[in-house]
């Protein structure tokens, strides 16, 4: 079976070069006579992966020395608890900007550990707020937002900058898809299974002055200070996922880094949105200035054709195009590893399908 173009929102498609490298190295990794899945997380060989992935992330995102990089269990969702536990308290307020389902989830989780406030909610409008529209609070422990809302396909094109509280961003579905100015943030966190690897590992990039302010009952595996001191190895970590992360980071670097990833994303998204906008068969609910370059939701005007569209696209080798249950329709996730060829093939299929069902 030839490899398909997998438009899944995550776990997502991996670069073909990464799959081939993993396959080639699988049974005898670095001539150690066993696979990377079988080596100790404390062995010098694995510690080398730890150091290389840290150095590579630092280089790719230009992360200053006063930020530590933590590798974590529990996906991005676990950080939704870790953030209030490390930065707030039941007495302090934590502020949230809601632009979609993931921001709302993060907010609902934070309520368990902190006082919380929603300072903006533009979820219903499929948009992001301008910084000038935000009412910042002086007493906020931090301000959280979701840079790219994976389900709605809404992405910030700017940083909601604030001076009086650390800015915390969920970058799960667009990390390493474009350069970012790390110094504008207190914390940047993301799961790996979309743009930079497979499920099982998440990362947090934390400004070091924010370490050590956790709530007393914080579980040690969620305490950033502890994780930093333990070099992100407090216990047995998902070693294979970490190795795949390193392979993906190396692939990004060899492919021209985040500047090139951004150029690719802009081009892929432009092709797809332009096609949708010029069609009267498909439509996208998001205004151009808020559109995600990673997740492109679209609906068919004739919704009774949804099932057939999905069946035939899968047969054509274009898989996982079903939209999230909460919004319906379709969604094409076009992360770093989706080649432009996949987008051309999708547009070709959409065009043929629309002509057949006019
Ligand atoms: N935030 C965003 C923006 C996401 O898209 C997702 C997963 N789709 C999550 C958080 C949750 O990630 P995880 O499943 O790794 O906990």
């Amino acid at each position: 079976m030839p490899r398909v173009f997998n438009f899944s929102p995550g776990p997502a498609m991996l670069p073909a070069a990464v799959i081939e490298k993993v396959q080639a190295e699988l049974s005898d990794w670095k001539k150690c006579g066993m696979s990377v899945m079988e080596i100790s997380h404390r062995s010098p060989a694995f510690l080398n992966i730890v150091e290389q992935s840290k150095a590579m992330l630092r280089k790719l995102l230009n992360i200053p020395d006063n930020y530590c990089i933590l590798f974590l269990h529990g996906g991005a969702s676990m950080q939704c608890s870790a953030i209030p536990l490390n930065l707030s308290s039941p007495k302090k307020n934590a502020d949230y900007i809601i632009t979609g389902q993931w921001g709302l989830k993060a907010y609902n989780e934070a309520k368990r550990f902190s006082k919380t406030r929603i300072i903006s909610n533009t979820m219903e409008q499929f948009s992001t707020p301008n910084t000038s529209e935000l009412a910042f609070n002086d007493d906020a422990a931090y301000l959280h937002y979701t840079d790219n809302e994976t389900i709605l396909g809404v992405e910030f094109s700017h940083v909601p900058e604030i001076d009086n509280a650390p800015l915390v961003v969920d970058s799960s579905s667009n990390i390493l898809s474009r350069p970012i100015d790390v110094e504008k943030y207190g914390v940047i966190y993301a799961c790996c299974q979309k743009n930079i690897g497979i499920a099982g590992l998440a990362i947090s990039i934390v400004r070091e002055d924010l370490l050590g302010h956790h709530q007393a009952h914080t579980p040690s595996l969620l305490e950033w200070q502890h994780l930093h001191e333990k070099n992100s190895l407090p216990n047995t970590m998902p070693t294979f996922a970490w190795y795949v992360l390193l392979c993906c980071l190396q692939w990004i670097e060899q492919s021209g880094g985040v500047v090139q990833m951004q150029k690719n994303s802009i081009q892929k998204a432009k092709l797809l949105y332009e096609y949708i906008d010029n069609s009267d068969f498909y439509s996208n609910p998001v205004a151009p200035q808020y559109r995600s370059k990673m997740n492109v939701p679209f609906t068919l005007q004739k919704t009774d054709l949804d099932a057939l569209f999905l069946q035939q696209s899968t047969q054509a080798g274009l898989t996982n195009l079903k939209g999230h249950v909460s919004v319906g329709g379709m969604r094409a996730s076009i992360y770093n590893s989706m080649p432009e060829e996949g987008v051309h093939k999708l547009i070709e299929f959409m065009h043929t399908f629309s002509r057949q069902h006019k």
Side-chain angles (χ1 to χ4, degrees):
M1 169 104 186
R3 275 180 62 76
V4 298
F5 291 107
N6 176 9
F7 293 90
S8 165
M13 189 168 177
L14 287 169
V18 169
I19 300 272
E20 282 155 22
K21 179 175 157 65
V22 171
Q23 187 175 33
E25 295 182 342
L26 197 62
S27 63
D28 180 13
W29 184 69
K30 302 265 180 219
K31 299 203 175 358
C32 65
M34 55 185 157
S35 76
V36 69
M37 294 180 286
E38 298 161 283
I39 64 172
S40 162
H41 61 297
R42 308 259 176 233
S43 63
F46 188 75
L47 293 178
N48 199 24
I49 293 182
V50 173
E51 291 316 314
Q52 276 192 67
S53 44
K54 239 192 260 181
M56 191 60 88
L57 261 172
R58 209 172 272 288
K59 183 173 171 198
L60 286 167
L61 283 180
N62 202 11
I63 302 173
D65 289 345
N66 61 326
Y67 285 74
C68 64
I69 304 170
L70 304 175
F71 300 84
L72 310 144
H73 294 282
S77 302
M78 192 69 101
Q79 292 311 294
C80 296
S81 326
I83 289 158
L85 282 165
N86 281 276
L87 298 180
S88 192
S89 78
K91 289 193 183 141
K92 285 194 216 160
N93 281 299
D95 286 356
Y96 281 74
I97 297 174
I98 311 291
T99 50
Q101 288 85 341
W102 291 107
L104 193 59
K105 270 193 148 186
Y107 164 77
N108 282 327
E109 184 63 16
K111 279 201 276 189
R112 300 161 68 100
F113 309 108
S114 171
K115 288 208 280 182
T116 45
R117 288 178 300 218
I118 294 179
I119 66 159
S120 160
N121 185 347
T122 52
M123 194 168 156
E124 299 288 317
Q125 292 87 53
F126 294 88
S127 69
T128 62
N130 291 328
T131 304
S132 59
E133 291 161 12
L134 295 170
F136 294 121
N137 293 301
D138 280 339
D139 62 343
Y142 61 86
L143 174 64
H144 178 285
Y145 78 104
T146 309
D147 209 21
N148 182 66
E149 278 288 351
T150 322
I151 294 174
L152 296 184
V154 168
E155 188 170 13
F156 274 81
S157 58
H158 64 281
V159 179
E161 286 179 60
I162 45 166
D163 299 329
N164 48 356
L167 187 60
V168 177
V169 65
D170 176 356
S171 199
S172 288
S173 47
N174 65 357
I175 192 146
L176 286 152
S177 70
R178 63 184 191 196
I180 47 169
D181 185 352
V182 174
E183 284 188 316
K184 290 189 169 160
Y185 297 92
V187 180
I188 301 165
Y189 72 101
C191 54
C192 292
Q193 67 269 20
K194 299 172 190 294
N195 256 335
I196 50 171
I198 61 173
L201 196 66
I203 58 173
S204 273
I205 300 161
V206 183
R207 210 177 61 216
E208 286 187 5
D209 63 287
L210 300 174
L211 298 173
H213 305 293
H214 48 273
Q215 298 182 31
H217 55 278
T218 304
S220 58
L221 284 186
L222 296 186
E223 190 200 305
W224 291 337
Q225 168 81 32
H226 176 69
L227 295 171
H228 178 49
E229 283 163 6
K230 294 283 177 190
N231 198 20
S232 298
L233 290 164
N235 67 335
T236 316
M237 291 295 289
T239 48
F240 188 69
W242 207 324
Y243 156 73
V244 179
L245 166 69
L246 176 59
C247 296
C248 288
L249 297 177
Q250 288 167 337
W251 174 81
I252 291 173
E253 206 214 6
Q254 284 153 13
S255 309
V258 285
V259 170
Q260 188 59 42
M261 293 299 119
Q262 183 177 36
K263 281 188 193 150
N264 299 349
S265 301
I266 290 173
Q267 171 64 2
K268 287 183 288 181
K270 182 171 176 285
L271 287 168
L272 195 45
Y273 284 118
E274 262 179 19
Y275 174 70
I276 294 169
D277 287 346
N278 288 325
S279 135
D280 48 16
F281 195 86
Y282 304 100
S283 60
N284 171 285
V286 187
Q289 65 271 38
Y290 307 120
R291 283 178 176 172
S292 165
K293 290 178 189 63
M294 301 282 104
N295 312 96
V296 182
F298 60 93
T299 49
L300 276 64
Q301 205 183 49
K302 302 176 183 165
T303 49
D304 53 326
L305 291 173
D306 281 4
L308 189 66
F309 180 95
L310 287 169
Q311 186 201 343
Q312 293 190 351
S313 55
T314 305
Q315 280 163 358
L318 308 164
T319 67
N320 290 308
L321 283 161
K322 195 172 178 3
H324 192 269
V325 279
S326 61
V327 285
M330 311 296 153
R331 172 178 42 167
S333 296
I334 48 174
Y335 299 122
N336 284 346
S337 44
M338 175 60 66
E340 194 180 311
E341 188 197 349
V343 175
H344 285 295
K345 285 256 153 56
L346 174 61
I347 293 171
E348 243 171 70
F349 171 81
M350 289 168 71
H351 189 58
T352 309
F353 188 87
S354 68
R355 289 173 63 145
Q356 285 165 351
H357 298 280
K358 266 266 180 249

